[in-house]
Amino acid sequence: MRRLLALLASALMLAAGLTGCTPRPNSAEPTAAAFLDAISSRQFGELASLVDDPSQAESSTQTTWDGLQAEALEAEITNVTQTDNIATATYTMRWHLPRERDFTYEDHMTLTQAGDEWTVRWQPSVLHPKLGANQHLELRAIAAKEASVVSSDGVELLRPGVAYRVLVEPGTMRSAPETAQRVAAALAAAHEQDPTSPQVDAGALTPQLASAASTYSVAVVPASVKETVERALGGDPAVRLNEEAAMVNQDPTFAPDIMARIGQLVSDDLEGEAGWSVSVVNENGAEYEQVQREDPAPAPAVGVSLDHAVQEAAEKALEPVAGQQAMIVAIRPSTGGVLAVAQTPAADKQGNLATMGQYPPGSTFKIITSAAGLQRQGLSPASIVPCPGTMDIYGRVVTNYAGFSLGSVPLETAFARSCNTTFADISTKLAPGELKAVGKQFGLGVDLTIPGLDTITGSIPEGETPLERTEAGYGQGADLASPFGMALVAATAARGSMPVPFVLAGHDTQVGEKVAAPSPQAVEQLREMMAAVTAPGGTAAGMSAQGDIRGKTGEAEINGGSHAWFTGYRADDDIAFATLVVLGGGSEAAVAITNAMLAHLDGAGQG
């Protein structure tokens, strides 16, 4: 018995010794980690000792890196299981893509052991579970739908579309003058069909084509004239039209110059935030499946201050004087939004007259002179002032229209009847620089940089001599203003301080200098006087348009005739305006056009 127990003890000790000497299984984790490190660091040469098909592994991994445009890859093992000579490693892959985008997922690989060496069994799914033979991952952009440009009253003005670029290949021209002439004629035909289509001068284009070393871009034309241009070009092999994305004006006649500028300015604002996807694609780029997708964020519509109804009403009002240079500018006093800039075709030929043309403002300038008298000389609408038919001021004889005389009357009456002598006298009594300073309180003479609109408000002389001050008082002499400038004057009277004009929401206007607002009392008195102009007995009495219309008429004398002006505001619908008919004679023409514009608005349900 004692011998049997000894034998059992010996057997147990031998078994224990054998168990303690059995080697632990060879871990596959270092090989899996080395493989992930090699593809993460793009050290593809190290794959030769780690995978069973290094050539395919290197090619597929490189293609996926390139397809994803990846900036970095983080791979981390989360679990390894192994049985005998087979192991499975589970890991997360986090690709860092352009523009701070991440693509993360879980994947796994199979490893096999031969002797003491573990090897990764290569298959494309090692890079992503959905990858098959001859496939890789690819990052693709998803374009956001472009936004539209919308007027302040909600009408779509510009929408995404196509246009055509006119290109010339210099190497195939028979001669530069001949090609230039043909292109100029084709663009002229297009412009005849659509006024927004640009024109070129053949003489100016010829040397540009002659010196061009490569493809020369002449102009971009709207899609509406494509066939007209092609027909006029007559199949000239040196000229071709190239289609490209563009913002398309829904109504080519609607403020074409401003809309063309706006289209260029807002192109970036309309694009939105592009989306993106990661797709499984084959060697030819054909997509099988999207494995990650972020939808695009479309940009909100871009708002412009132009009011479709006001612009349309202004354009209709100008139709009867289409053969003359005439224009209307309208501004929203409460916000500064430019509501309309309308010109006749005759004015269009001369450029941006409505916003940049400089003309003597005539008696509309008496708004400024009145404000100066109210603020600097203690006058009020009830103050008795002289209104003789003529007045000799330091040798300058000032005459009222047709020499009318009212004698001594309240300032409001002199304003409503437009006495030149009264306001020449007030201005002459001001100190040098005072009239100019008051003008700037109303925006006249202030430099503005407005995205989407080129403007010059006007200028007022310093008035160093009595003669300068005399003539400036009733809008003659060296006084100059654009219709835009006078619309700003009226908007200031309506608002009580100069509104900062703008066209594009989100694009700030730069104001050249900061000026104090006119005194509230003077503004209120000025409004009272402007109301008298449209009341019975005033120079703009009898207007048929509805609402509370206040303003000032003007006839500016120049050599060869006189300009017709009317500026003011309608409080009911928050619209300030200035109308000018160049060489239009008496102010009646400008009043009639303004009345027509406001009446059109009444018919459209405005006001």
Side-chain angles (χ1 to χ4, degrees):
M1 183 67 178
R2 196 175 288 176
R3 180 177 176 83
L4 178 60
L5 291 174
L7 287 172
L8 288 173
S10 298
L12 290 171
M13 290 178 63
L14 178 61
L18 290 172
T19 301
C21 294
T22 299
R24 298 178 63 188
N26 182 26
S27 175
E29 185 169 343
T31 301
F35 171 79
L36 293 177
D37 183 62
I39 64 173
S40 297
S41 61
R42 306 187 75 166
Q43 300 298 316
F44 302 139
E46 296 180 7
L47 296 177
S49 62
L50 299 170
V51 300
D52 59 1
D53 190 349
S55 176
Q56 282 295 322
E58 180 174 348
S59 174
S60 295
T61 306
Q62 179 70 65
T63 305
T64 285
W65 264 94
D66 293 343
L68 290 175
Q69 306 166 47
E71 297 174 348
L73 168 63
E74 295 178 36
E76 181 179 358
I77 294 175
T78 57
N79 187 46
V80 177
T81 61
Q82 57 189 72
T83 304
D84 298 328
N85 294 327
I86 301 293
T88 300
T90 304
Y91 46 93
T92 57
M93 301 275 274
R94 184 183 182 190
W95 296 90
H96 296 282
L97 307 182
R99 298 175 65 181
E100 299 183 347
R101 294 175 289 203
D102 286 340
F103 174 43
T104 304
Y105 52 91
E106 185 175 79
D107 205 351
H108 66 272
M109 72 178 87
T110 299
L111 301 93
T112 59
Q113 181 177 224
D116 292 334
E117 298 294 328
W118 284 97
T119 303
V120 175
R121 182 184 296 169
W122 172 255
Q123 48 192 352
S125 61
V126 167
L127 294 176
H128 189 277
K130 295 294 184 71
L131 285 179
N134 301 313
Q135 296 175 354
H136 63 276
L137 296 176
E138 192 167 289
L139 173 67
R140 295 188 169 184
I142 304 174
K145 182 181 178 182
E146 287 190 315
S148 298
V149 175
V150 180
S151 70
S152 61
D153 55 341
V155 177
E156 186 179 49
L157 303 178
L158 296 176
R159 71 167 55 163
V162 298
Y164 291 86
R165 188 173 294 277
V166 181
L167 300 171
V168 175
E169 301 294 347
T172 59
M173 293 188 304
R174 282 184 290 188
S175 74
E178 180 182 342
T179 299
Q181 187 62 46
R182 180 165 290 179
V183 170
L187 292 179
H191 184 78
E192 186 71 23
Q193 177 185 339
D194 184 343
T196 65
S197 189
Q199 299 187 82
V200 296
D201 179 72
L205 181 59
T206 297
Q208 294 171 340
L209 296 181
S211 61
S214 57
T215 303
Y216 185 84
S217 173
V218 179
V220 177
V221 299
S224 61
V225 301
K226 177 177 181 282
E227 292 183 3
T228 299
V229 173
E230 288 178 331
R231 190 165 49 249
L233 290 173
D236 189 329
V239 189
R240 60 186 172 89
L241 299 184
N242 189 58
E243 181 180 306
E244 58 184 54
M247 295 305 296
V248 178
N249 198 334
Q250 293 305 285
D251 179 1
T253 65
F254 182 87
D257 182 70
I258 296 177
M259 295 314 300
R261 294 163 186 254
I262 287 174
Q264 296 172 352
L265 276 173
V266 303
S267 57
D268 291 341
D269 299 340
L270 299 170
E271 291 179 357
E273 184 69 30
W276 58 279
S277 68
V278 174
S279 300
V280 174
V281 302
N282 67 13
E283 66 270 29
N284 298 315
E287 181 179 271
Y288 285 105
E289 181 181 357
Q290 288 185 354
V291 294
Q292 176 84 1
R293 178 185 175 92
E294 293 290 337
D295 289 324
V302 173
V304 297
S305 66
L306 294 178
D307 185 296
H308 191 270
V310 177
Q311 179 74 28
E312 194 172 60
E315 290 173 354
K316 285 182 179 178
L318 291 172
E319 287 176 359
V321 291
Q324 297 175 260
Q325 294 178 22
M327 56 222 76
I328 301 173
V329 175
I331 294 175
R332 182 82 69 199
S334 62
T335 65
V338 178
L339 301 175
V341 178
Q343 299 189 155
T344 59
D348 285 339
K349 292 178 181 179
Q350 304 301 315
N352 303 322
L353 299 183
T355 59
M356 301 186 72
Q358 297 294 285
Y359 305 90
S363 292
T364 59
F365 189 83
K366 292 171 183 173
I367 294 173
I368 305 297
T369 309
S370 295
L374 295 170
Q375 294 183 105
R376 306 295 178 103
Q377 295 176 351
L379 295 175
S380 73
S383 297
I384 302 302
V385 292
C387 178
T390 62
M391 184 180 289
D392 186 335
I393 305 176
Y394 292 96
R396 170 70 161 95
V397 178
V398 180
T399 304
N400 290 335
Y401 177 73
F404 77 86
S405 175
L406 300 179
S408 295
V409 293
L411 178 62
E412 179 177 301
T413 302
F415 186 88
R417 297 289 299 278
S418 203
C419 293
N420 291 340
T421 51
T422 302
F423 293 93
D425 184 48
I426 291 172
S427 181
T428 304
K429 294 175 180 177
L430 292 169
E434 281 192 297
L435 192 62
K436 184 175 183 178
V438 172
K440 287 187 176 182
Q441 290 182 314
F442 287 78
L444 201 63
V446 175
D447 292 330
L448 301 168
T449 303
I450 307 175
L453 194 67
D454 289 337
T455 63
I456 301 175
T457 57
S459 60
I460 303 170
E462 189 70 23
E464 294 290 353
T465 66
L467 177 61
E468 285 182 340
R469 299 195 296 277
T470 298
E471 293 183 332
Y474 57 104
Q476 296 286 167
D479 283 348
L480 291 173
S482 65
F484 172 82
M486 291 311 301
L488 186 57
V489 168
T492 302
R495 176 188 171 99
S497 61
M498 188 196 85
V500 177
F502 72 93
V503 173
L504 272 171
H507 292 250
D508 293 338
T509 294
Q510 296 179 15
V511 181
E513 59 186 294
K514 185 175 181 179
V515 293
S519 75
Q521 181 183 15
V523 168
E524 190 57 42
Q525 293 172 329
L526 184 61
R527 291 170 181 164
E528 179 184 332
M529 292 164 61
M530 292 173 72
V533 172
T534 56
T539 52
M543 294 179 70
S544 62
Q546 302 171 14
D548 181 9
I549 304 168
R550 308 184 182 205
K552 183 68 190 80
T553 58
E555 178 180 349
E557 296 179 0
I558 61 169
N559 291 332
S562 56
H563 303 320
W565 282 94
F566 185 43
T567 189
Y569 65 93
R570 184 160 74 171
D572 309 70
D573 47 6
D574 194 22
I575 294 176
F577 54 81
T579 302
L580 167 64
V581 183
V582 176
L583 295 176
S587 61
E588 296 84 2
V591 172
I593 290 171
T594 305
N595 185 64
M597 177 188 75
L598 296 175
H600 283 311
L601 280 176
D602 295 339
Q606 304 288 317

